Each structure stands twice: as structure tokens, then as C-alpha cells.
Amino acid sequence: MPTQLKHCEMKPSYINNVGTLVLIVIGAPGSGKGTQCEKVASYLRIPHISTGNMLRKQNAQLNSRDANSMIQGELISDAAVRSLLIERISAVDCERGFILDGFPRTVNQAHLLDSYLRKAYRDEYCKVVMELIASKATVTRRLSARRICPLCNSVFRNANAESLTVDTCPADGTTLTKRMDDREDVVLRRVQAYHDYRRPILSYYCNATFLQVEGEGHEDEVTSRILEKILAVATFQEK
Ligand code: AMP
């Protein structure tokens, strides 16, 4: 049985015996995926890979159709996201596994990931699919409190999803703005997109280990819940 974790007791050095873990995190916009993936990744010492972040950084290289889909909160083509993802998970820092945030979003993408994992890791990894759940009120509060730096892409949020006390980026002094797809009408489309792909993705992974985690509350408490659940189900392979 895993040790009971309290967020105040957790130190990044606590979890240092994990082997190869492929953690696929899904959740509606504002459920806390980005924040939690980042924190869990630092505890497990594996990379957090967000296709949304990668696409925002490489936006200039997208064709106009995909760039427009991003602005509108719709999924971009599988082709555009496929090469980005495979290149990233082939990097040496992914040898002990990785956390996927925002991928796969289609069954096609899930097939692609599986065939890569079969080739790269054979059966020597532990795959966990996790869904973060948060109420509509929480999601709305979080998204309206979130700001980004348009220059360096850093994300700013309050741990309790309250309004921020800073309005410029501490690294470069740029005025913080809302993410282009955090506008209310676009958020509605992103939430709809999530509900559209959730069911096919979960059916695809019906034989995988599946966890649902309550994403409400202080972000450290949510991290603690996630780590407890992961450590309870994952049989990590030592490398
Ligand atoms: P996110 O930051 O995960 O909310 O993603 C922001 C936007 O990037 C989404 O609304 C999509 O337009 C695009 N995107 C990110 N990941 C994918 C994916 N796996 N497949 C298709 N589009 C994606």
C-alpha cells in the first residue's frame, strides 16, 4: 500500500523510484490539467508534454486552417500535431516516461501513440489514463483568472483561482493578457470539443488503468490526490 501523502509532506525527492510511466491526462478546459501536470511531473521527474503549449509556441508554422482552428477553440488536424508529438516523446528525457496533457484527442491520435509506445517501449511501461474533474463554476473562475505573458508564454494563475495580484510578467515586464482562446464564446466551444472527444477516447482506453480525480480545491491538495492515486495503481518498472 502506498504511504498516505499530505501535500505539506511531499518533497520532490519523495518519489524517486519510478520507472517508465506514460500518464495520459484528460479534462475540460480549466479543470487544472496544465497546472497539475506540471507539478506531478516535477514530483515524478518526468517531462510534462502539452501539445497546446507546443502549438502556441510554434503557431507561426501552422497552416492558416490549423491556426484558425486554434483561435476558434477547435481541434487542429491530426497531421499537424502528430509530428510535433512524436518528435517530442522520442527525446532522451522521455526514457522514463512522460505526462501527456492534451494528447490524444482523437482515436487516430490514440492509435498513433500506441503504435509508437509498442515500438519504443515494447510492454515495459505502465500506462495510466487520468481524468481531472471540476465543476462549471470552478472552471469558469479559473479561466477568467488566468493570464499569460504574450512574449515568453508563461502562464499566471492564483493557487486558489482568485484574481492575480500582478499584471506584468516578472521575467520581461510585458503586460499580461488573456489567452486568445480563453474568451467566453471560445471557452464554450472548447468545452464542447472536450465532451465530443471524451467518450471515444475513454472507450479506446477501456482496458487501460483509468483514474478520476477531483480537481476542486487548492492546487496542492489536488496534486496530493493525484499522486496518491497514481502510486496506488501504478507498478513502476525500475530501469
Ligand atoms: P490546450 O492548451 O490543450 O487547451 O490546447 C489548445 C488548443 O490547441 C486546442 O483548443 C486545439 O486547437 C489545439 N490542440 C492541442 N492539442 C491538440 C490535439 N492533440 N489535437 C488537436 N488539436 C490540439
Side-chain angles (χ1 to χ4, degrees), residues 3 22 44 55 60 63 66 73 98 107 121 136 153 155 164 166-167 173 188 201 219 224:
T3 315
V22 175
L44 300 180
L55 289 165
N63 66 35
D66 286 330
F98 44 86
V107 169
Y121 295 97
K136 200 173 163 196
N153 280 311
V155 180
L164 287 172
V166 289
D167 54 11
L188 289 177
I201 288 295
E219 61 182 48
S224 175

Side-chain angles (χ1 to χ4, degrees), residues 33 50-53 55-56 69-70 73-78 81 101-105 109 179 181 190:
K33 287 192 309 306
S50 154
T51 43
N53 287 348
L55 289 165
R56 274 183 289 281
S69 296
M70 276 194 79
E74 291 157 4
L75 296 192
I76 70 161
S77 61
D78 284 347
V81 81
D101 161 6
F103 190 98
R105 273 164 146 125
Q109 294 178 6
R179 221 171 86 172
D181 55 358
R190 289 166 59 212

Side-chain angles (χ1 to χ4, degrees), residues 19-21 45-49 85-98 116 120-121 239:
T20 304
L21 171 70
R45 297 192 180 138
I46 53 179
H48 160 213
I49 299 174
L85 193 271
I86 294 297
E87 189 183 332
R88 179 63 190 89
I89 63 180
S90 309
V92 70
D93 65 339
C94 290
E95 261 177 10
R96 287 183 54 250
F98 44 86
Y116 174 84
Y121 295 97
K239 276 236 155 173

Side-chain angles (χ1 to χ4, degrees), residues 54-224:
M54 291 164 79
L55 289 165
R56 274 183 289 281
K57 280 189 193 135
Q58 307 218 348
N59 196 264
Q61 288 155 40
L62 292 178
N63 66 35
S64 57
R65 191 164 170 210
D66 286 330
N68 195 45
S69 296
M70 276 194 79
I71 294 169
Q72 299 302 323
E74 291 157 4
L75 296 192
I76 70 161
S77 61
D78 284 347
V81 81
R82 181 199 296 135
S83 46
L84 263 186
L85 193 271
I86 294 297
E87 189 183 332
R88 179 63 190 89
I89 63 180
S90 309
V92 70
D93 65 339
C94 290
E95 261 177 10
R96 287 183 54 250
F98 44 86
I99 301 181
L100 287 179
D101 161 6
F103 190 98
R105 273 164 146 125
T106 65
V107 169
N108 230 353
Q109 294 178 6
H111 274 298
L112 172 86
L113 175 64
D114 264 358
S115 63
Y116 174 84
L117 291 173
R118 254 192 314 275
K119 264 191 244 146
Y121 295 97
R122 282 164 300 237
D123 282 331
E124 294 165 12
Y125 67 94
C126 172
K127 182 161 68 190
V128 177
V129 179
M130 188 187 87
E131 182 178 31
L132 260 183
I133 314 270
S135 70
K136 200 173 163 196
T138 300
V139 160
T140 313
R141 202 173 66 243
R142 283 182 183 157
L143 292 180
S144 62
R146 175 163 76 181
R147 295 289 180 276
I148 59 157
C149 170
L151 192 64
C152 67
N153 280 311
S154 301
V155 180
F156 298 86
R157 65 222 153 202
N158 182 287
N160 280 317
E162 287 154 4
S163 299
L164 287 172
T165 48
V166 289
D167 54 11
T168 53
C169 176
D172 51 45
T174 308
T175 303
L176 304 182
T177 58
K178 264 192 127 146
R179 221 171 86 172
M180 64 185 175
D181 55 358
D182 277 350
R183 273 185 8 226
E184 209 173 312
D185 55 327
V186 182
V187 166
L188 289 177
R189 257 198 303 276
R190 289 166 59 212
V191 170
Q192 187 55 50
Y194 175 66
H195 289 297
D196 291 344
Y197 73 71
R198 177 185 181 274
R199 191 183 290 269
I201 288 295
L202 292 186
S203 323
Y204 180 88
Y205 287 122
C206 60
N207 293 322
T209 303
F210 176 57
L211 305 174
Q212 279 184 315
V213 180
E214 181 63 70
E216 303 278 342
H218 190 283
E219 61 182 48
D220 288 345
E221 288 165 11
V222 180
T223 311
S224 175

